[in-house]
Amino acid sequence: MSLIIEKTKKYFYKLFKKFVFVIQLFLATDMPLYSANAAFFLVMTCIPLFMIIFSTISIVPTIEIDDLVANIDLLFPNLPYVNEVIDSIVKIARDLATKNALSINVIIALFTGSTALYSFTIGIRKIHGITHTSNFIKLRLMSIFNMFLFFVYFY
């Protein structure tokens, strides 16, 4: 009977050590933190980007808002409430869009997008085992510059 108890203790001890190793590895990489941070700020970047697009469209006189709403409705399913909500969001955003809002939205989009790129950079360096050789300001400026390049390229 004591032999079975000893084997059971050894088995649970090995299982516990493996569990502790996995937890320590998980906490050492901080990957969930960086991936959640990047996903959050990428989603937060979408709102100022849409406002930038609507602000730019309101400035350009050749684009009609009804044509824009019709094209946006093609992207979404034919659900009556979805199309009504999208139409109202586009019209409200067009009415609220000004040149001042455009500049503020550009700054906000650059900051939130650069934060997402910054967390990507930190996460990739952590995965590859690279210690931080750059300071915070240099990495942040590089992230803002890269986000600006993305805006110019995709806009």
Side-chain angles (χ1 to χ4, degrees):
M1 186 70 163
S2 68
L3 182 62
I4 294 173
I5 293 173
E6 288 298 321
K7 285 186 177 181
T8 307
K9 283 183 180 178
K10 286 182 182 179
Y11 174 75
F12 280 115
Y13 182 72
K14 286 181 183 178
L15 187 65
F16 179 73
K17 284 188 86 167
K18 287 180 183 179
F19 179 73
V20 168
F21 174 73
V22 169
I23 295 296
Q24 286 175 344
L25 185 65
F26 184 73
L27 293 175
T29 57
D30 294 331
M31 285 316 301
L33 174 70
Y34 294 122
S35 60
N37 190 11
F40 173 73
F41 281 107
L42 281 177
V43 169
M44 291 302 291
T45 305
C46 292
I47 297 168
L49 281 178
F50 287 134
M51 289 303 292
I52 291 170
I53 291 170
F54 293 137
S55 298
T56 308
I57 287 173
S58 69
I59 294 171
V60 177
T62 59
I63 298 175
E64 294 294 326
I65 197 67
D66 296 329
D67 296 336
L68 177 68
V69 169
N71 288 330
I72 290 175
D73 286 342
L74 293 175
L75 298 175
F76 293 96
N78 266 343
L79 299 173
Y81 296 115
V82 173
N83 290 337
E84 290 174 13
V85 168
I86 291 170
D87 294 348
S88 65
I89 288 172
V90 169
K91 289 179 182 176
I92 289 171
R94 181 204 52 182
D95 293 339
L96 295 176
T98 62
K99 292 179 183 177
N100 295 335
L102 178 63
S103 61
I104 292 170
N105 286 323
V106 167
I107 292 169
I108 291 172
L110 278 175
F111 180 76
T112 56
S114 70
T115 305
L117 286 179
Y118 178 74
S119 61
F120 279 137
T121 304
I122 299 298
I124 289 173
R125 285 182 174 190
K126 190 84 165 185
I127 289 171
H128 292 292
I130 300 171
T131 59
H132 289 276
T133 56
S134 302
N135 60 9
F136 174 78
I137 296 172
K138 182 179 177 185
L139 285 176
R140 178 60 83 174
L141 290 175
M142 289 286 291
S143 298
I144 290 173
F145 179 70
N146 288 336
M147 199 65 208
F148 177 73
L149 291 179
F150 282 140
F151 283 163
V152 169
Y153 179 74
F154 288 116
Y155 194 66

